Amino acid sequence: MTQYVLTVDPGVRDLRAADHLLQKLAAELALTEGVFGCTHLVRGDHPRVALSLAVPTESLLRTVKERLTDRGHEVQDGLPDPVGRAVLYPGAAALTGTLTVTELLSRSAIDRVTVLGGHGPPAPATLLVTRDHVRPQWEDGELVLTAMPAAGGALVPFEVPEPTPCCADH
């Protein structure tokens, strides 16, 4: 399916704030389950996190662009880069609790799971403890979840829901 994409650069500096803003915008705009919403790290003199929204129709793209512009957001056509971190994607809401790799793949738009330090994909029956926070990334046109080994032979997504801020101990 063809996706129509736009980028919003709200100037936020951390992923959690970007996640919340992306979810808030999707709710305010009543975007459907078929929408992809990603975060993108912007490097350079002013590091920040940009947002992208991919919608299924050109008319919806025009509507979203107009409504975001009316709200004071600066909007551009296209992606800021090809490696966005997906926050909104088909099936994301169904990825809660503990699932097998097969269930995760069948319930969502995620194409595959990789394991840090692993050789090849995990077995289909391998359990994945989602922690209700599953953030796959685009890699070569595929939505890929990176996981890491956990207790009892299970996996957990590499990204933790509540990361410890840098320099929290001083």
Side-chain angles (χ1 to χ4, degrees):
M1 169 174 37
T2 300
Q3 292 283 307
Y4 299 88
V5 185
L6 57 81
T7 294
V8 179
D9 190 347
V12 295
R13 295 184 56 91
D14 69 82
L15 286 174
R16 287 185 68 210
D19 283 7
H20 290 295
L21 179 57
L22 196 50
Q23 291 165 336
K24 178 183 171 193
L25 291 174
E28 288 174 356
L29 298 169
L31 296 177
T32 63
E33 174 73 12
V35 170
F36 287 85
C38 296
T39 59
H40 302 263
L41 299 178
V42 178
R43 292 169 173 72
D45 293 340
H46 305 287
R48 59 201 182 282
V49 183
L51 312 175
S52 68
L53 288 168
V55 298
T57 66
E58 191 171 5
S59 63
L60 181 55
L61 180 74
R62 283 192 302 270
T63 301
V64 169
K65 190 173 185 177
E66 181 179 299
R67 292 177 69 194
L68 287 170
T69 302
D70 289 348
R71 286 183 163 93
H73 293 285
E74 199 172 304
V75 180
Q76 298 175 357
D77 290 329
L79 288 169
D81 63 50
V83 291
R85 173 185 158 272
V87 176
L88 308 172
Y89 51 93
L95 303 182
T96 60
T98 300
L99 307 168
T100 65
V101 169
T102 296
E103 290 170 326
L104 176 108
L105 296 174
S106 68
R107 292 181 185 182
S108 72
I110 297 172
D111 295 303
R112 63 185 171 91
V113 176
T114 62
V115 180
L116 287 176
H119 301 289
T126 302
L127 294 177
L128 185 123
V129 181
T130 68
R131 300 179 296 204
D132 301 341
H133 186 84
V134 180
R135 300 292 189 264
Q137 287 206 214
W138 288 104
E139 294 179 14
D140 298 323
E142 288 187 310
L143 199 53
V144 179
L145 177 66
T146 301
M148 59 186 180
L155 298 173
V156 293
F158 176 72
E159 183 177 326
V160 297
E162 301 288 334
T164 303
C166 178
C167 306
D169 61 343
H170 35 150

